[in-house]
Amino acid sequence: MALRPQDLTIFDLAAGTGMFSTAVELACAAIGLPAKTICYCERDACAAASIVARMENKTLHPAPIWDDIKSLDCEPWRGQVDIVCAGYPCQGFSSAGKQLGNRDPRYLWPAVRRAIARIKPSIVFLENVEGHVGNGSGKVIRDLQRLGYRVTAG
């Protein structure tokens, strides 16, 4: 399917199995704004394999998959992406874990922030666990505001 001029483009960072960007596509379509994910970034091989399998069975549009957000070259995507979505790792914030927050080795917010700053999408959707509200979300909100975004949480 070719992009139409009115289609919104999505870059899915920390994509998991690609379901977050799929939900964003469906939400956009529901309000009359067609959207298509044009790139994924996922370091977990099993999750990336799921994205590939979904592309093969045509439940996802074909798109490149980058395997490490920390080495992602964002410059080619500047001006090409309307929406960045990211479900960055929640283990450091989850009440089921040790709640190490930004001390957790899986903490990826700095890399996600860097990608957002370089890609400069119009819209950013982030998803995380409830434990993030009291453990680290303030920094995320301040960082987004410094990048010029109006932040709404819910």
Side-chain angles (χ1 to χ4, degrees):
M1 177 167 111
L3 282 177
R4 295 179 304 259
Q6 72 274 17
D7 283 349
L8 297 174
T9 55
I10 302 170
F11 196 127
D12 194 347
L13 300 170
T17 61
M19 295 307 293
F20 189 20
S21 57
T22 298
V24 173
E25 287 180 15
L26 291 170
C28 288
I31 59 170
L33 298 170
K36 179 178 175 182
T37 303
I38 60 170
C39 193
Y40 298 88
C41 185
E42 179 52 54
R43 69 179 175 181
D44 180 80
C46 225
S50 179
I51 293 171
V52 170
R54 293 180 63 216
M55 287 181 198
E56 288 173 350
N57 73 19
K58 303 202 184 325
T59 58
L60 284 182
H61 302 287
I65 304 171
W66 194 263
D67 68 351
D68 185 0
I69 191 170
K70 293 178 181 177
S71 67
L72 175 65
D73 181 6
C74 299
E75 297 308 318
W77 299 101
R78 185 180 295 211
Q80 305 301 312
V81 175
D82 298 302
I83 301 170
V84 162
C85 63
Y88 55 98
C90 63
Q91 296 93 333
F93 309 110
S94 174
S95 60
K98 296 179 182 177
Q99 299 175 335
L100 296 174
N102 65 1
R103 297 180 324 277
D104 191 288
R106 297 162 290 196
Y107 182 65
L108 289 180
W109 170 247
V112 171
R113 189 204 60 74
R114 178 188 64 83
I116 292 167
R118 291 187 176 156
I119 294 170
K120 297 187 182 294
S122 300
I123 300 168
V124 175
F125 285 111
L126 302 174
E127 178 274 331
N128 217 297
V129 295
E130 184 179 356
H132 194 17
V133 172
N135 184 5
S137 68
K139 175 173 179 31
V140 171
I141 290 169
R142 285 188 303 277
D143 285 352
L144 288 169
Q145 289 170 333
R146 285 184 192 118
L147 292 173
Y149 292 97
R150 187 184 73 206
V151 178
T152 303

